[in-house]
Amino acid sequence: MAKTRKREDSASPVMPARIFAQVSPRSIGGVSLFDAMGAVHAGTVANFRSEPRIIDAAVNRLRAAGFDVLQVTAWTINIAGSQETYEKAFRTRIEIERRTVIKPGGVEALAEFIECPDTPMPGLIAVAGTPFEEVIEGVAIEEPRYFMAAAAFPPPVPYWHLAVPADVALGLNAEKVHRSGISGGGIRVAMVDSGQYAHPFFAARGYRVAPVVLGPAAADPERDAVGHGTGESANIFAVAPDAELLPVKVNFVNSVGAFNAAAALDPQIITCSWGSSNRNGPLSAADQALAAAVAAAWAAGIVVIFSAGNGHYGFPAQHPDCIAAGGVCMAQDGSLRASDYASGFMSGIYPGRRVPDACGLVGMQPKAIYIMLPINPGCQIDSAYGGGAFPSGDQTGGDDGWGCFSGTSAAAPQLAGVAALVRQACPRLSPDEVRDILRKSARDVTLGNCNPASGGHPATAGPDLATGDGLVDAHKAVLLAKLRCLAPGPMVRREPGLGRNPPGAGAGQPVPLSTADIASIETLVIESELDR
Amino acid sequence: MPSKKDARISAQVILRPASGRTIVPQTPIDSGNLALFLPSPAAAIATADALRAGGLETGPPVAVSLSVSGTVAAFEKFFDAQIRLGGDGVYEFVREGRSLGPELSGDQLPTTLRGSVQTVAFIPPPAFGPTDFDR
């Protein structure tokens, strides 16, 4: 009886040069392995063994027919040969059939199966009427097989890198904050990127990830073909493990529309690890639409964070209504230097606008291979970085669901994590105040230079173009946020004439702290030994 | 080479400011001047209605713009232009064999949009970020 399964595609794909199969020599129990259906189990498998003389005879005939015999067991013989060899030996024909399967990453796609149309069982070649009939029951052609899920644990690699969540949390001084009960709870962080794959890294830790929202013309909400969004989002959870991630998948024909979709979710924070490069303008109509959307989000109280670029003059990072995220590299001994992969520049579009504001943890040239991040198996990053030797490749598998990368794409979600902690500590802070806190509390970096393609500016004592105010410090940032919550009003735009004794405060009554008091305490915090 | 007609694409529709001003490259928009460039809510609604009536989908209006999405075929019908993918990876409008670039404005726009829309623009892909690995 011939197969009647529906073929998915009538195009004629190329038959592989070597086709692999398992041959079953005649079983001692008298029932063919291929007739047993579900009856092969530990209690019956002995019935499907073959006598050594039968196995030897089968091996000899297969070799004589031109097959390579790769492995011989008591049950099966593994062979390889060309299409012509199979068709001639077994007096049949074989062809390729495309069927829908689930590939790595949960992606439904077509796969090519080699089939013999003369038998009803998928992948089976019958041998009746051939010289093999006496010694062989049948031939099972190998099928495509896929790794179905990545591991929750990253693979070991023999070079210095950071792991998520622990190393990134430690590097940004977030662990102390977590132990104080501030971990991003109640804060919604929207991330506009390539999508969000349900990697076990996230599920195993119980991170809160909302269903993917599709940006304009985007599709496949379960899929992240690049791996960028999935991987970089782990940086958010490393710093703010109890924040809720709102992934917005962008189709790269309309990043502006995707940003707007994120803004429409009304999150407290939007983080974007992408941008264009625009040194001196002018701004296109599309740029202006994005500039206006960023400004509107900021004015509505949403903290907006953009990556500064990796040698680019990042836009919208240079927009005045966002936090521009640059890069600092932390060595194994904890020392800090400006990342020569990350951008730093003075905007030629917005006078006086320095990029970056502050930095996250970013690796060095040539590829910033630095943070081991979870991605969907076989995605673009997995295959692009997998296999090669460090520092050109990440020395992980090309389909193992892990990739070591960073860039300012990693810095933006790290800053988003710190902003989430700050907003939890003091929800009433405006985006201007959150940025001010991240900058004031950052650890100054005085070594290294930013990416030469954006000017190669040196890191110096105090704010500079290489690292802005330095590497963000979650612990100090949250302390400052708590202090700000004690202040009577906003502290970024200070109101003149606010005295120590407000009207109505008489003798013997508690006197609230003034903005000047808070500013003085902030100075003490910033200059303190608290984080040492 | 013409794009596949069933491919889904998207562009950004930039609305005319209610103030009567024009959004120009020389005046970058930020939170300090945003109010000068905001459209009237009625114009945003009318624009979205016109696009949807033409078989296209629209996103939420945010600040000065809203997204429009649909198949290449639907875009070509509504905007009375061929849509093709340019060499720089950005879609562009083509009329009578001549490229109009990635933006339509003024008289190039369908008459139903001219009163409320300043520009319809296809967006270039990001220069860095997820696109770094697209090979």
Side-chain angles (χ1 to χ4, degrees):
Chain A
M1 185 175 71
K3 293 181 185 67
T4 56
R5 288 191 306 276
K6 178 176 176 285
R7 303 232 167 109
E8 298 270 356
D9 192 328
S10 60
S12 54
V14 177
M15 184 71 76
R18 270 163 72 85
I19 299 163
F20 296 88
Q22 293 288 339
V23 174
S24 176
R26 289 210 165 273
S27 302
I28 59 173
V31 176
S32 166
L33 183 67
F34 304 116
D35 291 335
M37 301 305 286
V40 183
H41 52 73
T44 62
V45 69
N47 295 332
F48 300 99
R49 292 176 67 99
S50 304
E51 293 179 33
R53 66 176 180 83
I54 296 290
I55 296 172
D56 289 344
V59 167
N60 290 335
R61 291 188 193 187
L62 288 164
R63 284 189 172 136
F67 290 102
D68 293 329
V69 175
L70 306 174
Q71 186 184 51
V72 180
T73 74
W75 286 270
T76 58
I77 302 167
N78 186 211
I79 62 169
S82 67
Q83 177 182 9
E84 182 184 10
T85 304
Y86 278 89
E87 292 182 342
K88 186 176 176 185
F90 302 121
R91 297 175 184 173
T92 187
R93 60 193 173 91
I94 56 176
E95 58 189 29
I96 290 178
E97 181 178 307
R98 286 179 171 161
R99 299 206 296 266
T100 301
V101 298
I102 305 298
K103 289 190 176 179
V107 179
E108 193 174 274
L110 289 177
E112 294 178 351
F113 291 73
I114 299 171
E115 284 291 355
C116 174
D118 299 329
T119 60
M121 179 180 277
L124 177 66
I125 298 175
V127 295
T130 75
F132 294 91
E133 186 175 8
E134 294 175 22
V135 291
I136 289 176
E137 296 169 340
V139 179
I141 306 169
E142 184 59 280
E143 296 182 349
R145 302 189 193 280
Y146 304 97
F147 293 108
M148 298 314 296
F153 296 98
V157 289
Y159 54 86
W160 165 243
H161 69 281
L162 303 179
V164 284
D167 293 345
V168 170
L170 181 63
L172 300 180
N173 210 8
E175 288 194 344
K176 294 173 188 169
V177 185
H178 300 166
R179 289 202 300 273
S180 76
I182 302 286
S183 52
I187 305 300
R188 292 162 19 110
V189 182
M191 183 172 191
V192 182
D193 213 295
S194 57
Q196 189 72 22
Y197 165 66
H199 195 289
F201 168 86
F202 300 96
R205 289 170 173 80
Y207 293 145
R208 282 197 283 273
V209 180
V212 173
V213 171
L214 294 176
D220 299 332
E222 308 296 325
R223 190 178 179 207
D224 178 2
V226 183
H228 191 265
T230 303
E232 300 296 11
S233 73
N235 286 288
I236 299 171
F237 290 118
V239 183
D242 287 318
E244 182 183 11
L245 173 64
L246 312 178
V248 177
K249 183 173 181 178
V250 61
N251 174 330
F252 298 115
V253 299
N254 195 345
S255 49
V256 183
F259 182 90
N260 286 356
L265 297 174
D266 196 25
Q268 285 99 328
I269 297 161
I270 298 175
T271 181
C272 300
S273 295
W274 47 267
S276 59
S277 191
N278 194 331
R279 186 171 189 177
N280 295 309
L283 295 178
S284 67
D287 289 336
Q288 287 281 46
L290 183 53
V294 169
W298 191 262
I302 300 172
V303 174
V304 179
I305 301 164
F306 270 91
S307 297
N310 306 319
H312 310 82
Y313 291 84
F315 177 87
Q318 59 189 296
H319 192 286
D321 299 319
C322 77
I323 299 175
V328 164
C329 188
M330 178 178 283
Q332 196 164 4
D333 63 2
S335 62
L336 303 175
R337 64 185 300 118
S339 165
D340 62 357
Y341 194 81
S343 292
F345 60 94
M346 187 64 77
S347 173
I349 299 171
Y350 302 95
R353 175 69 168 123
R354 185 192 69 197
V355 175
D357 289 299
C359 293
L361 294 162
V362 174
M364 303 290 282
Q365 298 263 18
K367 289 189 169 178
I369 291 176
Y370 186 53
I371 307 175
M372 187 63 75
L373 297 166
I375 51 182
N376 38 333
C379 66
Q380 287 179 12
I381 293 177
D382 210 0
S383 58
Y385 278 20
F390 179 82
S392 296
D394 69 7
Q395 297 185 216
T396 67
D399 59 359
D400 65 351
W402 288 89
C404 200
F405 55 107
S406 61
T408 54
S409 288
Q414 291 167 21
L415 267 59
V418 178
L421 302 178
V422 165
R423 292 215 111 167
Q424 184 188 0
C426 185
R428 71 165 171 78
L429 293 175
S430 70
D432 278 311
E433 289 176 297
V434 172
R435 179 171 59 187
D436 186 59
I437 284 173
L438 262 56
R439 290 176 53 175
K440 276 189 174 166
S441 58
R443 299 165 66 181
D444 194 18
V445 177
T446 58
L447 288 176
N449 297 69
C450 67
N451 195 313
S454 67
H457 304 287
T460 59
D464 52 60
L465 287 177
T467 67
D469 284 78
L471 181 66
V472 289
D473 184 316
H475 180 54
K476 280 188 175 179
V478 168
L479 286 177
L480 292 195
K482 289 177 175 176
L483 281 170
R484 293 280 173 103
C485 254
L486 299 175
M491 292 189 61
V492 174
R493 299 186 178 101
R494 294 185 178 187
E495 300 161 68
L498 192 62
R500 175 169 290 274
N501 297 305
Q509 292 181 325
V511 177
L513 291 169
S514 69
T515 51
D517 294 330
I518 301 296
S520 299
I521 299 170
E522 279 188 5
T523 303
L524 290 173
V525 170
I526 292 164
E527 295 175 349
S528 73
E529 302 290 318
L530 283 171
D531 66 328
R532 298 189 185 168
Chain B
M1 190 173 72
S3 308
K4 288 182 179 176
K5 302 297 184 193
D6 58 352
R8 283 184 56 78
I9 58 175
S10 181
Q12 206 63 15
V13 179
I14 296 133
L15 300 158
R16 288 187 182 279
S19 64
R21 298 173 71 109
T22 302
I23 297 171
V24 294
Q26 295 75 22
T27 307
I29 299 174
D30 59 31
S31 55
N33 63 13
L34 175 63
L36 297 174
F37 300 102
L38 291 176
S40 74
I45 292 168
T47 301
D49 287 347
L51 291 164
R52 285 196 292 265
L56 297 166
E57 300 160 24
T58 59
V62 174
V64 303
S65 70
L66 56 88
S67 65
V68 57
S69 307
T71 63
V72 168
F75 264 68
E76 291 185 337
K77 183 178 179 186
F78 185 85
F79 291 103
D80 190 26
Q82 278 189 296
I83 308 295
R84 71 181 179 194
L85 192 58
D88 54 359
V90 186
Y91 285 98
E92 58 187 14
F93 298 94
V94 177
R95 282 198 185 124
E96 297 171 357
R98 189 171 65 88
S99 173
L100 302 176
E103 298 178 4
L104 288 183
S105 58
D107 292 345
Q108 297 171 325
L109 290 166
T111 52
T112 53
L113 299 185
R114 285 179 196 169
S116 59
V117 173
Q118 178 176 317
T119 306
V120 175
F122 285 119
I123 314 288
F128 62 90
T131 46
D132 285 347
F133 307 91
D134 187 9
R135 56 192 70 187

